[in-house]
Each structure stands twice: as structure tokens, then as C-alpha cells.
Amino acid sequence: MPPHAHLGYVNPVVDHDFPDPGVFYHAPNRTWYAYSTNSNGKNVQCSHSTDFCSWSHSPHDCLPGPLPAWISSSPGFVWAPEVITAPQNRGGYLMYVSVQDVTTGKQCIGVAYSQASPLGPFYFLDNRPMISRGEFGGCLDPQPFEDPNSGQRYLIFKSDVDRMYTKGPQLWLQKLSEDGLRLEGEMIPLMAPTQPWQGDLLEAPYLTYHGPSRTFCLFYSSGTFTKKSYATSYAISYNGIFGPYQPSVYPLLASDERRGVLGPGGASVVEGVEGHWFIVFHALEHEGGPRRMCVHRLEWNPDGSPNVPARPNCGRRLRLGAEVEDDLEHFGGASQHLAPLGPVEEEASGEFGHPPPPSHHQGLGKILAGSAGLGAAAAGLFGKKKRRKEKKHGKDRSSSSSSSSSSSDSD
């Protein structure tokens, strides 16, 4: 692919705490809006772009409150918003967002509405959550998704059926009503942890559809979000939206200290400028620090599996369409890897003599074919390293840095 004549990007594209970015495209003004978990004195932050490479930050809180009585007043529990155009030609926009249920102290999912603008203000429509399940682990990380084959809308979300860090299903799907305001039918399990590096925790689900292969691809994150062991991967369904979903053997995005990327996660995957696909994710400035928004171009293999050309970095410009060449110039090493290199090599056993076994995904196997020792490396970081159980249920997810979660916006 030839490089774009003038477009390129330097990560982080949003250089302050902006966790769990969810992206909405507003066709009337040809603008992409990215929304994030609470931070910088706002319940929901927003940045926007017309070229997907340079982003401007909005000074306004998209969900300003006052929040309804069923939502806890404790700060730091407004997480992972996603916005769509309101269904049924009603006008306006719906925001699905995780908040804390005042009756249980666990996360739940609610729906807010803005009539005026994708920037809000959004206000909750009901006097109760859309779904709570506080008697278990709660519900969080919602993504509304329309099946292009049937036109049916669903909500994709995370919920622990018994407890955190379990072998049971953690990512779910449930039918949405035609107006998008209620859930119908039963929860359908999509995925449970099966890979050693996942550490028995899946979250941040984001579902996409690859038309040419008629494949559903479910992206997700695993690990502790304050740690460099946090990573993003995917699972594939060749049999429709309900699965079964076959997980990739290795992470798609993982920490690369050489390139300045730590703990990439909370991702969304969208079509961006001029038809290019992008993965949008947060990465830690340092362990326990702000999570800044990054973008990287994404490609699709013929079998519907995703491919990240080159590897994301922070601080060096990548020309759109020339990521492999620019990564080679900046860092001088092999560009295409899905398993982590930098911090993994420090913690693994040092056995780098043989390539990992091929994935059941044809595209992934081809990409990994030249990556010596990554199987042992991935096992070294993700298989034997026990995670601290500090995440989410009962802990402020906005940031582990008090300065980033409480400071006022300076943009």
C-alpha cells in the first residue's frame, strides 16, 4: 500500500488520561467522536477528529449530571461509554455506559440520551439500570452492535456469572429492543478464558463483522489495567453472531517498552478516514499512570482475522499506509508481530530459538511465522505472572493516579 500523500499519526493522539476510548462516526459533519471513562473532572470526556490522525479535545462534560438517584455518588465509576444514533428515526443519540448501582455497589449499565449533539449533554432516560446483576460481579463495558445480516441490535458486555477471575463465561450478548432502551430475551455467553496469558479475566468486548469472509471478530482485553501485562486480543466466529468464538493464541496488542507502548487495552475497532480501519486503544504512560488514547491502522486477512501492520509506538510519526516502512526506519527491527517482545523478553526463560506454533487462524499463523521465540516469551509474561486482584469491582477505574482522575481539564 502506498503511503498517504499527507496523513500520518503520532501516538498518543490524545495526550492525557483518556481510558477505554469508544468511537462514533457522525456522517452529517464527517467527524469521529471518541468518548472515554471518567477523568480530568468529567464523567465522560470527548475528543473529535475529521481525519482520524489529529484529534481535538472538547472542554465539555458529555454526561454532566446531576446523575439519577439509582447511580452511586462515589466518584470514579463512570466507565467505557459508547454512542450510537438513536434508532427508529427518533433523532438524537444514545449513550450506553457503565455506572455504579447504588443498591449493590457494583457496576451496572444504563442508557443516556442527547437530542442536540454527539457532544451532549446526555441524560439518563430511566429510573433504573438497563442491567445490573449486582448479586454477581455486576455488568460493564457495553457495546451496542447491529448484526448486518439480520438488522437485529444487540448489547455486548462483560459480566461475571459467579465471581471475578473465573473460568466461566465473562463476555455476553443480549438482544436490544427496537428503540434501543431495553434488553430482551436471555443473556447468551460468547466467551470464557481459555488462554494462559488471559489470567482468567476478559473485559472490554468489542464486536465487528468482516463482510467478505462473513466472519464476526470479538476483540477484548485481559489483565490488570494498571499493569504492563494488560493486553488486547480477539476471537473469531465463522458460524454467526452467537459463535462459537475461537480465540487467538497470542495477544494482538501487548506492551512494547522499546516503542513506548504499555498495557494497550480498552479498544474499539472502526472504519476511519478514506476507508482505512483502525484500532483505537489506551496505553499507559507508565505503570499505574494515565492511560492515553492511541490509534493504529488495522488490516483484515482473507479469513476475517485482524492484522496490525508494524507495531504501535508512542512518539514517532507513522505515515498512513506506510507503517511497516516507518517502523523499520524508526526502530530497525522486525515489524509484524502479534505476540509481545519488549517486556516479555525480560521476564521469559530466554528460549528464543524457535518460532511459535501457527494459530488456527490462517492470517495470524502467517504473521507469526517469522517471530522467533514468541511462544516461550508470551508464556513467560502471561502464563506464570500472577496478577493483583485489584480491578474494577469496588476500585476506581478512572485512573490509579489521583492527579489524572481529579484534575480539571486544561484544554
Side-chain angles (χ1 to χ4, degrees):
M1 173 184 294
H4 196 280
H6 62 274
L7 287 180
Y9 48 95
V10 181
N11 284 317
V13 294
V14 176
D15 194 16
H16 59 257
D17 197 46
F18 201 87
D20 307 313
V23 178
F24 166 68
Y25 180 63
H26 187 244
N29 64 2
R30 299 180 181 179
T31 299
W32 288 270
Y33 294 87
Y35 305 88
S36 90
T37 284
N38 50 219
S39 190
N40 297 301
K42 300 181 180 68
N43 288 322
V44 172
Q45 304 178 89
C46 184
S47 292
H48 48 88
S49 174
T50 57
D51 63 10
F52 223 91
C53 294
S54 58
W55 293 76
S56 300
H57 193 61
S58 170
H60 305 293
D61 189 341
C62 295
L63 187 68
L67 302 181
W70 56 268
I71 298 177
S72 170
S73 60
S74 300
F77 291 93
V78 182
W79 302 346
E82 291 281 347
V83 170
I84 63 169
T85 301
Q88 299 180 315
N89 297 316
R90 65 182 293 174
Y93 312 90
L94 295 181
M95 175 185 287
Y96 299 82
V97 62
S98 310
V99 292
Q100 190 178 69
D101 190 332
V102 71
T103 62
T104 66
K106 301 290 182 66
Q107 290 300 106
C108 62
I109 294 170
V111 187
Y113 175 70
S114 168
Q115 185 175 9
S117 165
L119 290 171
F122 286 85
Y123 296 101
F124 285 95
L125 293 172
D126 211 338
N127 59 1
R128 60 182 180 179
M130 167 179 276
I131 184 172
S132 181
R133 293 181 58 81
E135 68 276 18
F136 300 106
C139 296
L140 51 144
D141 295 346
Q143 182 218 355
F145 178 81
E146 182 175 334
D147 184 347
N149 297 313
S150 66
Q152 175 63 53
R153 291 184 178 87
Y154 297 91
L155 190 71
I156 320 298
F157 59 96
K158 172 192 171 59
S159 182
D160 297 319
V161 293
D162 46 9
R163 56 183 176 82
M164 291 182 67
Y165 305 96
T166 175
K167 296 294 186 183
Q170 298 183 24
L171 305 182
W172 303 81
L173 172 150
Q174 193 166 352
K175 184 184 294 187
L176 279 167
S177 60
E178 290 188 5
D179 60 10
L181 303 180
R182 300 178 310 281
L183 290 172
E184 299 178 342
E186 299 297 322
M187 293 170 53
I188 298 173
L190 297 181
M191 192 173 172
T194 58
Q195 304 300 312
W197 69 268
Q198 295 167 344
D200 291 344
L201 190 144
L202 308 176
E203 62 186 17
Y206 199 91
L207 188 62
T208 62
Y209 180 72
H210 182 248
S213 63
R214 299 182 64 82
T215 298
F216 289 89
C217 185
L218 179 63
F219 295 84
Y220 64 92
S221 297
S222 289
T224 302
F225 75 101
T226 59
K227 296 290 186 177
K228 66 184 181 182
S229 55
Y230 201 57
T232 293
S233 195
Y234 68 94
I236 294 289
S237 169
Y238 299 102
N239 298 293
I241 194 169
F242 302 120
Y245 284 84
Q246 306 171 27
S248 168
V249 177
Y250 299 101
L252 178 68
L253 298 178
S255 289
D256 186 341
E257 292 187 84
R258 184 182 176 203
R259 290 170 172 81
V261 175
L262 296 180
S268 57
V269 175
V270 295
E271 187 174 358
V273 63
E274 298 184 6
H276 292 284
W277 283 82
F278 289 84
I279 186 166
V280 185
F281 60 97
H282 67 239
L284 291 161
E285 184 175 6
H286 53 79
E287 280 204 337
R291 291 170 287 166
R292 304 175 298 177
M293 184 176 119
C294 302
V295 303
H296 197 90
R297 192 170 62 84
L298 188 83
E299 296 175 345
W300 298 100
N301 296 307
D303 65 350
S305 60
N307 167 29
V308 178
R311 304 185 73 194
N313 79 81
C314 287
R316 297 295 187 94
R317 186 175 188 268
L318 298 177
R319 292 170 296 162
L320 185 63
E323 288 85 357
V324 173
E325 295 89 334
D326 290 351
D327 180 81
L328 188 63
E329 179 180 351
H330 295 322
F331 300 100
S335 296
Q336 291 188 336
H337 297 287
L338 296 188
L341 290 177
V344 176
E345 292 180 354
E346 299 171 4
E347 302 185 45
S349 62
E351 299 174 359
F352 296 104
H354 303 282
S359 166
H360 60 268
H361 296 150
Q362 180 182 18
L364 177 60
K366 181 174 69 174
I367 294 165
L368 288 171
S371 305
L374 296 181
L381 178 61
F382 297 107
K384 67 184 181 180
K385 189 174 182 181
K386 187 176 182 181
R387 300 177 311 131
R388 288 165 48 196
K389 297 185 179 183
E390 63 182 22
K391 179 119 197 234
K392 293 204 169 178
H393 303 271
K395 181 175 177 65
D396 183 345
R397 186 190 187 190
S398 59
S399 176
S400 58
S401 169
S402 59
S403 61
S404 62
S405 61
S406 59
S407 61
S408 60
D409 187 74
S410 58
D411 292 332

